[in-house]
Amino acid sequence: MKIRFGVGLGDGTPLSEFGGIVDRLESGGIDSLWLSEQIRSDAVDPFVGMAYALSRTRRLKVGTSVAVLPGRHPVLVAKQLASLAALAPRRALPVFGLRPARPGERELFPAPEGRRGELFDESMALLRAALDGDDAPFAGELLSVASPRVGPVPARTPDLWLGGSAPAGLRRVGRYGDGWLGSFLTPGAAGRAVEAIRAAAAEAGRAIDEDHYGISLAVAEDGIPDALGAALRRGAPGADPQELVATGWPRLHRLIDAHLAAGISKFVIHHAGTGPLDAFLDRFERELPPRQN
């Protein structure tokens, strides 16, 4: 499996610093940059950030971790992805999720009451049809268009990864996704998620590449901040925080080893401490690229 490490940016990065961070990651040979969807924060919009970072670089890959799909029209999303695929081939890494992490932002991605999962499924089917250049009418229960086709049809359809860890979400990855990016999961839970996705893919007559399973991990060298602790309690009630957040780089390496054993090979590493981002990036460059293969 190809082991890769990317840098994840949350809501604490001023837009005025974004270009400099992109330049540093490109010049430092970092594999990838990942942008969270945080509507009511000062974080860059993930699609705008992808376009900006890809236009500024020649090697760096840029992904979303994760962008919400239900509530966006999938044909318009397909147009964005097709454009990025043409302008920066194989460097745009979209990951889609069911709903925003922040409950207060869910109203911004409208879906019929109780049918968000169904809308996600139809959105994925329509997104695939658009990216494949399908010109036949698409008629679902929630979405319909006379023609999904967008231009330019990508020479190579971008891989579409999905997030989520609920049983229904894992089945959705197996049925529709090209890969999976989890978060707030212990290594044991991540391993069980991988097995569930593989089973769902096999049931659907599909297969997902062995190295298309990833996890977001945070490093909090000076202790887990209160806000992150609250998010952990919401996202993984009852789990040991030490198995979810690394309280130092040695602990991060141990978590990485455990996730590798569980079948995970792609890692998005977030800075969750109170120290400067530059110091985090210095340590990232020393610690993690040597582990890539």
Side-chain angles (χ1 to χ4, degrees), residues 171-248:
R171 291 192 295 271
R172 182 174 294 113
V173 179
R175 291 197 303 268
Y176 300 111
D178 297 310
W180 173 68
L181 182 65
S183 61
F184 291 156
L185 292 173
T186 67
R192 292 189 292 273
V194 169
E195 291 304 316
I197 292 167
R198 288 173 176 160
E203 185 178 344
R206 305 179 67 240
I208 294 175
D209 290 350
E210 291 295 305
D211 63 354
H212 280 203
Y213 295 93
I215 195 80
S216 290
L217 297 174
V219 182
E221 293 183 81
D222 41 6
I224 299 174
D226 291 342
L228 178 57
L232 294 176
R233 289 189 292 274
R234 289 194 305 269
D240 179 359
Q242 297 292 323
E243 287 197 278
L244 301 171
V245 176
T247 51

Side-chain angles (χ1 to χ4, degrees), residues 137-161:
F138 181 97
E141 291 188 24
L142 301 172
L143 294 168
S144 61
V145 294
S147 169
R149 189 182 185 279
V150 300
V153 176
R156 179 183 183 277
T157 303
D159 286 342
L160 304 177
W161 287 38

Side-chain angles (χ1 to χ4, degrees), residues 9 18 27 62 64 115 129 133 139 149 154 207 218 221 248 259 262:
L9 294 184
F18 184 67
S27 63
V62 189
T64 61
R115 304 189 71 182
R149 189 182 185 279
E221 293 183 81
H259 280 290

